[in-house]
Amino acid sequence: MSGFEIERKFLVHKDRDFRSCAYSSSRIKQGYIGAKGATVRVRTRDDHAYLTIKGPSVDGGLKRYEFEKEITLDEAAHLFELCEPGIIDKTRYLVRSGKHTIEVDEFYGDNEGLVMAEIELANENEPFVLPDFVGMEVTGDKRFYNKQLRRFPFIVWRGTLPPEYR
């Protein structure tokens, strides 16, 4: 897969159930390899592995070029050894909402307590419907990029968010 990714990110309200709305879930482990101007990620998702390269964000964090290729689990294990410290560990839940799928990520480890929802769009102006558990938009806020969460985990700055999101 390659092309532009158009994505919006939101926080999930702590007191609202999203798990019962999910039709699928998977455990994700991902690490990052240093690359100037790009994000290079190795990811395992259940029994599959992927190498992803993302270009810099444009349009206030809404859009960026993305290349992704499936690799073997053995290749992923070797690439994890090249990753910078701080592995992201999360469960991703898939929730249908209108004609879209909302991806809800529940984080563990130093990012425990953070729950975010993402929606991918075909274009920047595409209309969409969000479930009631979705709250404040954080698109473009770099604190919520997985690569940033690796370096500056949620445990360090969670107190800066309104109580309904921490």
Side-chain angles (χ1 to χ4, degrees):
M1 174 189 100
S2 64
F4 281 95
E5 171 187 61
I6 300 169
E7 177 180 82
R8 294 180 69 173
K9 292 184 176 203
F10 303 85
L11 294 177
V12 172
H13 289 280
K14 289 293 179 201
D15 61 348
R16 299 193 188 152
D17 178 36
F18 63 89
R19 289 179 198 87
S20 67
C21 302
Y23 66 87
S24 176
S25 69
S26 55
R27 189 71 178 250
I28 296 173
K29 175 184 165 186
Q30 62 192 41
Y32 294 88
I33 299 171
K36 186 175 183 177
T39 299
V40 180
R41 175 183 74 202
V42 59
R43 169 186 277 178
T44 58
R45 185 171 183 162
D46 296 329
D47 59 350
H48 294 276
Y50 306 89
L51 178 64
T52 306
I53 302 169
K54 294 184 178 193
S57 294
V58 293
D59 295 336
L62 183 64
K63 179 177 165 183
R64 63 182 168 172
Y65 179 78
E66 179 181 90
F67 169 85
E68 186 170 78
K69 179 164 180 46
E70 189 163 1
I71 59 176
T72 68
L73 288 170
D74 186 56
E75 289 169 327
H78 289 291
L79 287 172
F80 271 121
E81 293 176 16
L82 301 176
C83 289
E84 298 168 349
I87 299 296
I88 296 292
D89 185 14
K90 61 188 178 181
T91 296
R92 173 163 290 167
Y93 300 88
L94 302 180
V95 176
R96 287 187 182 90
S97 183
K99 67 177 188 171
H100 295 94
T101 296
I102 308 291
E103 297 176 343
V104 180
D105 289 342
E106 181 177 20
F107 292 83
Y108 306 109
D110 287 344
N111 292 302
E112 183 90 29
L114 179 61
V115 183
M116 286 193 304
E118 298 178 358
I119 185 168
E120 289 195 18
L121 304 170
N123 66 67
E124 294 91 339
N125 300 311
E126 181 180 2
F128 58 90
V129 177
L130 294 174
D132 71 342
F133 59 77
V134 174
M136 182 172 79
E137 184 165 9
V138 294
T139 301
D141 186 333
K142 292 181 181 179
R143 294 179 299 172
F144 298 99
Y145 293 1
N146 283 289
K147 188 173 181 180
Q148 283 295 106
L149 289 170
R150 179 190 59 76
R151 284 189 251 160
F152 303 106
F154 186 57
I155 194 170
V156 173
W157 54 270
R158 74 184 301 151
T160 66
L161 293 181
E164 62 267 29
Y165 302 114
R166 42 183 151 121

